Amino acid sequence: IVAGYGDEAALTELAEKSDLLTYEFENVDQDALARVQKRTGVLVPQGVKLLTVTSNRINEKNFLRTHGLPTTDFAKVASPAELKVAVKELGFPAILKTVSGGYDGHGQWDINSEQDVKNMLEKWPKNLLAILEKRVDFVKEISVMVSRDNCDQVKLWPITEN
């Protein structure tokens, strides 16, 4: 089945052919998944609530901070005027990202100078809801994978460098 992440007909077809559905990508349409789960009764072991956190960069950062984990400084940006304010608060360098839907550089813009701000304001995408993040100078990126089975046994997979 090849379809978009929000294609309910395709998701329903997959659910009807499966014992359970899992996801590994935060861009799955949580509303579509919840409706299909309710309609078909398919098991979604991860639940849908997790997507509410991971599919929205602002929710994700607030969740991490609420649980005592550090994040880079950030600001919600829903308009060109808010971008100007956020840049004044956070400074350069920064990166503007879509709140949802972007991945691996898609839906992201480097904001390293006043000229970058000017360029962004001139080509502001319609209905953009974004987050401006202070750029972090990091040495490497790692992934931590954790799984839990139906008996609530948790397994931590080896940490990998991306």
Side-chain angles (χ1 to χ4, degrees):
I1 300 170
V2 178
Y5 298 119
D7 185 329
E8 281 192 47
L11 192 53
T12 298
E13 180 184 351
L14 179 62
E16 290 171 346
K17 294 179 177 187
S18 306
D19 294 325
L20 60 89
L21 299 179
T22 64
Y23 52 86
E24 63 171 337
F25 191 61
E26 68 272 7
N27 287 339
V28 174
D29 184 318
Q30 64 207 27
D31 295 327
L33 181 59
R35 286 190 295 270
V36 168
Q37 180 184 24
K38 185 175 182 179
R39 187 169 53 250
T40 65
V42 70
L43 178 64
V44 181
Q46 295 157 283
V48 177
K49 187 177 178 183
L50 178 62
L51 286 171
T52 303
V53 174
T54 61
S55 67
N56 180 298
R57 288 186 173 94
I58 294 170
N59 290 349
E60 188 174 50
K61 292 237 181 332
N62 287 328
F63 176 87
L64 292 170
R65 286 185 172 183
T66 298
H67 290 85
L69 298 167
T71 71
T72 191
D73 292 335
F74 67 94
K76 176 182 169 189
V77 176
S79 69
E82 287 183 7
L83 175 61
K84 292 177 186 178
V85 171
V87 166
K88 284 182 183 173
E89 290 175 4
L90 299 179
F92 301 117
I95 186 163
L96 185 68
K97 300 177 180 181
T98 56
V99 167
S100 62
Y103 61 94
D104 295 339
H106 299 275
Q108 298 183 7
W109 300 269
D110 287 323
I111 306 293
N112 298 315
S113 67
E114 288 297 337
Q115 184 61 48
D116 289 339
V117 173
K118 182 181 177 201
N119 292 343
M120 190 68 212
L121 296 176
E122 289 173 357
K123 61 176 182 172
W124 191 262
K126 186 178 180 181
N127 300 321
L128 176 65
L129 178 57
I131 181 173
L132 185 70
E133 298 177 352
K134 183 77 175 159
R135 188 173 291 278
V136 175
D137 186 23
F138 61 90
V139 175
K140 69 176 85 175
E141 179 184 57
I142 63 169
S143 290
V144 178
M145 299 297 295
V146 180
S147 65
R148 181 178 62 207
D149 65 19
N150 289 342
C151 300
D152 283 336
Q153 298 296 311
V154 176
K155 177 170 181 164
L156 175 66
W157 299 92
I159 294 172
T160 58
E161 183 176 342
N162 297 338

